Amino acid sequence: MAVVWLDDVRADDLDLVGGKGASLGELTGAGLPVPPGFVVTASTYRAFIEDAGIDDELFAAVEVDHEDSAALQAAHEAAHDLIMETPMPDDVREEILDAYRSVGEGDAFVAVRSSATAEDLPDASFAGQQETFLNVTEEDLLDRVKECWASLFSERAIYYRNRKGFPHDKVDIAVVVQQMVDAEKSGVMFTRHPSTGKKEIIIEAAWGLGEAVVSGTVSPDNYVVSRESGEVETATIADKKTMCVRDEESGETVMRDVPNGRRHERVLTDDEVSRLLELGELVEDHYEKPQDVEWAVYDGEVYMLQSRPITTIAEGDDGEETESEGDSGGSSRATATGDDVLIRGLGASPGIASGRARIVTKLDHLDQVAEGDIIVTEMTMPDMVPAMKRAAGIVTDEGGMTSHAAIVSRELGVPAVVGTGDGTKTLEDGEVVTIDGDKGTVREGEEPEEKQRQPVEEARPKTPVKPMTATEVKVNVSIPEAAERAAATGADGVGLLRIEHMVLTLGKTPERFIEQNGERAYVDEIVSGVREAAEEFYPRPVRVRTLDAPTDEFRQLEGGENEPREHNPMLGYRGIRRGLDNPSVFRLELQAFRRLFDMGYDNLEVMFPLVNDAEDVLRAKEHMREAGIDPEKREWGVMIETPAAALCIEELADAGIDFASFGTNDLTQYTLAVDRNNEHVADIYDELHPAVLKLIGDTIETCREVDVKTSICGQAGSKPKMVQFLVDKGVSSISANIDAVRDVQHEVKRVEQRLLLDSVR
């Protein structure tokens, strides 16, 4: 079937109807007030491009450098023409039209909205990436459906998917066709503050259809409503200059000036605010997470048009914050005092940034925006995203918390102040300013940076073309803060991300930290650190090792007095043996992984350190199950750091591991009985010793026989001779230090080419 009705759709139908369709179906099923409609399924789109034979040409056309605006435009035009010029099959046409004639009285105005299968996901909302058409009738319906399909390859969508790492050929698109609500007033509601997470309802409202609010073409009223009392704590009444309405004669959606008498009039009544609060709490309770809801009011009834998770609240953030000072303009507005405050607006994306104001009134001004500038513009548009990525901050004349500027700034982690009214006229091009995305102020002058950026450019390969290799070349990441630099190398993923560095920076042993702050806080710390790397590399795999710190390192921390004193901590209470002996802390690490999987980071792989035998692995596997992690569905494996693990590799494979990763630092020490930090024997420490190589080579051979992947994440993986040996033996991947990734890629390619030549000579 080409279509399904919203009444029959639920949240687990995302692959069939996309994020928007699944959300609307779920809301309908929950009995919430949703206009009726149907969905042209994602499988219909996929069948359309495959049966017409345009799929390969389509995906090839959009494989471009997403930072090259000319290439992006050409890619979009090629994809759009391919889809629009390909006829829709007759049976699909008739099924869509038959469904339309069942909506309303058969001649209804409908909204036609794109619903991609990769949208409204954790930490990646994909909001506004595809097309929406309002007030559509039967005459234009089929063309609008195809326009939605083609919008999967708009410039903004290609750019965003590339930046987030979503393969173009893995994303499908459905189309929601829904009876229009000819809204008298409309807007957006956040069930929690989208920047701080504070437990309060934020409502933005304007006259007419909601597109003006979402696009940022109008500065809406802003209402802050207490979740406890239901009272409106502040109501900021904006100057609403324009509104989006349906033209009575043509039926088209047009922008009109708001009559003078209504420009400064409050949009929502107290009863409407109360009804929105009621609906907001119902939808948050239903989804069990904060929601971003689009709504509309028609003939006294409030309708819900869309709901998606708020993706910009930090996990675990309870939103408690210091009370902000306020005036009659509302708590969302800036309250800073002093002569250095140049303009005030709405703090839409948190943070403080200084830079030169760059006034952008035309798109061709974007080339003038340099790294670290503050973009000042009337409102941002999708074409401006590459420049926004270079900017240190964003200031707009128009827009609210759901404007394009606000959403994209929060996604990029860039401070933003929106709805200033006259920022483009008040600020001067080139003057140095400081914007405060929390308070909503733009101040004169510069403030010192509190946090230096990672020198990403230094990590970018000097040679632009990445060598294509069958053996994956990954990168080692010691701390989450280095993830951006590591990703810039072009590595195929992270071969080793160490949890212990995140724990050691807490300044307390895990037990002491948990005692003082609670288990949730400990899990939050791990989630926050791992998430930074998982997001930077998504969908490339990130292999995370559970806690492996020796007792002498923990002894330096608060609470370390309870750590055992060991003559040689490297041979003692560490790795998986510590986790299995102290499962209370180990289980919290696994809970952190479970939360990350639930948040959508399916690129994570769990790795257990310092295993000796299958018993270690089976016990760790059972703990995974108890934490809600399915070992059959998630990628997990072990470190091969002891001769015992290498010699027992068959038993480890039988226990169910997906991969084995060599930790050559420890494997060499334990094989040769050499402490590499001992000056008396350090000179005989050698990762290329024949005994070490035999353990590695035999393990790779066995793993290839039983279909277990192998990798190396020790320092030796960056050495050319070790690379040659590993590729000869057939290792699956090599993980190198950040500064060695490109050299290892070239070395791997050279060895693979030699092996290829040898096979044909």
Side-chain angles (χ1 to χ4, degrees):
M1 293 180 62
V3 306
V4 293
W5 290 92
L6 287 177
D7 289 344
D8 301 322
V9 170
R10 292 299 179 267
D12 55 5
D13 294 321
L14 187 143
D15 287 344
L16 181 69
V17 298
K20 193 178 284 93
S23 173
L24 288 168
E26 190 71 17
L27 294 174
T28 302
L32 292 163
V34 178
F38 60 91
V39 184
V40 181
T41 65
S43 55
T44 303
Y45 153 77
R46 178 62 64 166
F48 169 76
I49 62 171
E50 290 182 351
D51 292 349
I54 63 172
D55 49 335
D56 289 342
E57 187 177 357
L58 191 61
F59 299 133
V62 297
E63 287 298 332
V64 296
D65 178 2
H66 60 276
E67 300 294 353
D68 183 336
S69 57
L72 268 181
Q73 182 178 357
H76 159 63
E77 290 174 354
H80 180 271
D81 290 348
L82 266 175
I83 289 175
M84 296 307 297
E85 292 172 6
T86 301
M88 185 181 288
D90 290 341
D91 58 335
V92 174
R93 292 169 57 91
E94 289 308 312
E95 190 171 346
I96 293 172
L97 292 176
D98 285 347
Y100 165 80
R101 291 163 188 152
S102 300
V103 175
E105 301 297 323
D107 58 354
F109 287 97
V110 293
V112 181
R113 302 177 185 271
S114 304
S115 180
T117 57
E119 68 176 9
D120 300 345
L121 301 177
D123 214 38
S125 72
F126 289 78
Q129 295 304 303
Q130 281 83 44
E131 287 286 5
T132 289
F133 300 96
L134 304 180
N135 294 311
V136 178
T137 57
E138 180 174 344
E139 181 182 2
D140 298 319
L141 177 60
L142 297 174
D143 278 345
R144 293 295 179 256
V145 170
K146 288 176 69 177
E147 287 281 5
C148 285
W149 288 345
S151 73
L152 190 62
F153 304 100
S154 68
E155 292 178 52
R156 76 191 84 164
I158 296 170
Y159 178 89
Y160 198 82
R161 279 201 301 276
N162 278 2
R163 182 175 163 270
K164 287 293 183 182
F166 282 80
H168 297 292
D169 61 350
K170 300 300 182 185
V171 182
D172 290 336
I173 189 166
V175 181
V176 176
V177 180
Q178 196 176 18
Q179 186 169 356
M180 277 290 300
V181 174
D182 191 15
E184 300 152 4
K185 52 185 79 171
S186 55
V188 179
M189 167 173 57
F190 295 98
T191 63
R192 300 224 181 174
H193 195 290
S195 291
T196 68
K198 188 175 181 180
K199 197 172 182 180
E200 59 190 9
I201 297 282
I202 307 293
I203 303 172
E204 295 193 328
W207 303 115
L209 303 175
E211 300 308 304
V213 176
V214 175
S215 66
T217 55
V218 65
S219 295
D221 286 0
N222 183 281
Y223 305 83
V224 180
V225 187
S226 169
R227 293 279 294 266
E228 294 180 359
S229 68
E231 297 296 319
V232 177
E233 294 181 339
T234 58
T236 305
I237 310 306
D239 179 4
K240 299 166 288 291
K241 301 171 186 174
T242 59
M243 60 181 178
C244 187
V245 298
R246 183 172 74 205
D247 182 73
E248 293 289 343
E249 294 183 7
S250 67
E252 295 180 355
T253 305
V254 295
M255 295 299 297
R256 293 274 167 79
D257 291 338
V258 175
N260 288 334
R262 306 193 80 186
R263 279 179 53 169
H264 299 280
E265 182 182 333
R266 173 172 164 160
V267 173
L268 292 177
T269 66
D270 288 341
D271 287 344
E272 288 165 345
V273 170
S274 296
R275 177 58 173 158
L276 283 166
L277 172 61
E278 177 188 0
L279 291 173
E281 291 186 329
L282 285 172
V283 73
E284 181 172 304
D285 289 345
H286 180 76
Y287 283 111
E288 298 182 338
K289 60 181 64 175
Q291 295 290 300
D292 166 1
V293 181
E294 293 182 27
W295 55 268
V297 175
Y298 174 69
D299 199 21
E301 293 293 325
V302 179
Y303 294 90
M304 302 186 73
L305 307 181
Q306 186 176 341
S307 184
R308 54 177 169 253
I310 300 175
T311 61
T312 53
I313 298 175
E315 190 70 21
D317 189 350
D318 62 6
E320 293 305 316
E321 58 183 8
T322 56
E323 185 178 352
S324 59
E325 302 171 13
D327 55 20
S328 60
S331 64
S332 295
R333 298 294 173 176
T335 57
T337 59
D339 294 338
D340 62 339
V341 176
L342 302 173
I343 53 173
R344 294 179 171 86
L346 184 68
S349 181
I352 298 173
S354 297
R356 293 191 179 279
R358 194 61 60 201
I359 310 298
V360 176
T361 56
K362 297 179 181 178
L363 287 179
D364 56 12
H365 292 169
L366 291 174
D367 291 341
Q368 300 170 18
V369 177
E371 193 81 26
D373 283 350
I374 306 292
I375 293 178
V376 183
T377 187
E378 183 178 351
M379 61 181 181
T380 65
M381 295 172 287
D383 294 340
M384 299 173 71
V385 171
M388 293 172 71
K389 190 177 178 185
R390 295 195 298 272
I394 311 294
V395 178
T396 67
D397 291 349
E398 304 291 347
M401 296 293 283
T402 55
S403 63
H404 180 268
I407 292 173
V408 173
S409 295
R410 290 195 293 266
E411 289 274 0
L412 294 175
V414 174
V417 177
V418 302
T420 63
D422 58 358
T424 53
K425 297 180 178 65
T426 302
L427 302 179
E428 295 182 6
D429 192 67
E431 74 172 310
V432 176
V433 297
T434 295
I435 76 168
D436 188 327
D438 297 286
K439 294 185 174 67
T441 59
V442 180
R443 300 192 301 274
E444 170 175 40
E446 182 176 11
E447 288 190 0
E449 287 190 27
E450 294 182 1
K451 183 179 180 182
Q452 295 294 321
R453 293 187 177 186
Q454 289 287 339
V456 177
E457 292 306 317
E458 294 178 10
R460 294 194 190 281
K462 301 301 182 284
T463 51
V465 181
K466 174 185 173 182
M468 301 303 295
T469 61
T471 308
E472 292 183 329
V473 179
K474 299 180 180 178
V475 63
N476 297 327
V477 179
S478 296
I479 55 175
E481 291 83 354
E484 188 179 10
R485 288 189 66 231
T489 64
D492 294 314
V494 176
L496 172 63
L497 176 64
R498 302 172 175 90
I499 275 188
E500 59 265 25
H501 289 290
M502 305 172 201
V503 175
L504 293 173
T505 56
L506 300 176
K508 303 170 185 177
T509 62
E511 292 82 357
R512 179 61 58 85
F513 185 89
I514 293 165
E515 176 187 331
Q516 295 178 350
N517 301 279
E519 293 182 349
R520 175 59 185 250
Y522 184 73
V523 173
D524 286 346
E525 291 290 340
I526 296 173
V527 167
S528 176
V530 174
R531 182 185 188 184
E532 191 170 342
E535 171 62 23
E536 193 67 49
F537 277 84
Y538 196 93
R540 292 172 287 174
V542 174
R543 193 165 287 176
V544 189
R545 189 176 70 187
T546 57
L547 193 60
D548 184 24
T551 53
D552 59 340
E553 293 187 14
F554 277 135
R555 211 164 35 246
Q556 309 302 316
L557 308 176
E558 182 182 331
E561 64 273 10
N562 298 322
E563 288 291 308
R565 293 189 175 274
E566 300 177 299
H567 181 67
N568 189 341
M570 293 298 293
L571 296 174
Y573 193 56
R574 52 173 287 230
I576 195 63
R577 57 187 66 163
R578 183 185 184 111
L580 296 175
D581 186 63
N582 185 11
S584 60
V585 174
F586 182 55
R587 286 169 186 157
L588 296 181
E589 296 174 48
L590 295 176
Q591 283 182 31
F593 284 110
R594 166 63 190 275
R595 269 178 55 191
L596 286 157
F597 287 135
D598 289 346
M599 291 161 65
Y601 293 105
D602 54 4
N603 59 327
L604 289 177
E605 301 176 350
V606 183
M607 181 160 63
F608 300 119
L610 208 66
V611 301
N612 269 340
D613 49 44
E615 182 181 355
D616 288 342
V617 176
L618 290 170
R619 290 175 65 192
K621 186 178 181 180
E622 187 57 34
H623 281 296
M624 288 174 67
R625 286 201 179 95
E626 291 174 2
I629 301 172
D630 187 345
E632 308 303 322
K633 294 182 178 178
R634 303 299 181 186
E635 288 279 316
W636 65 285
V638 299
M639 296 281 291
I640 304 296
E641 298 166 282
T642 67
L647 294 170
C648 294
I649 187 60
E650 287 187 59
E651 290 81 3
L652 299 182
D654 289 341
I657 63 172
D658 297 302
F659 62 83
S661 184
F662 301 104
T664 52
N665 297 347
D666 283 352
L667 184 60
T668 302
Q669 292 185 100
Y670 300 148
T671 302
L672 303 181
V674 171
D675 178 0
R676 63 179 181 151
N677 296 319
N678 185 329
E679 62 187 84
H680 300 292
V681 294
D683 60 327
I684 59 174
Y685 175 90
D686 180 17
E687 301 106 323
L688 296 171
H689 189 283
V692 177
L693 294 182
K694 180 168 176 55
L695 287 171
I696 293 173
D698 290 350
T699 300
I700 292 174
E701 182 177 343
T702 301
C703 285
R704 291 182 67 183
E705 292 173 357
V706 296
D707 199 27
V708 169
K709 290 176 284 189
T710 53
S711 62
I712 182 172
C713 58
Q715 189 172 347
S718 299
K719 296 184 176 181
K721 288 186 178 179
M722 180 62 85
V723 171
Q724 294 165 20
F725 172 82
L726 292 168
V727 177
D728 273 332
K729 291 294 182 181
V731 75
S732 307
S733 66
I734 296 172
S735 194
N737 297 332
I738 290 176
D739 57 359
V741 168
R742 184 47 57 92
D743 290 338
V744 172
Q745 288 171 335
H746 282 294
E747 186 62 27
V748 168
K749 183 176 182 180
R750 191 185 67 80
V751 178
E752 288 182 349
Q753 287 177 330
R754 175 178 57 77
L755 291 172
L756 204 58
L757 286 172
D758 289 345
S759 69
V760 297
R761 281 174 175 165

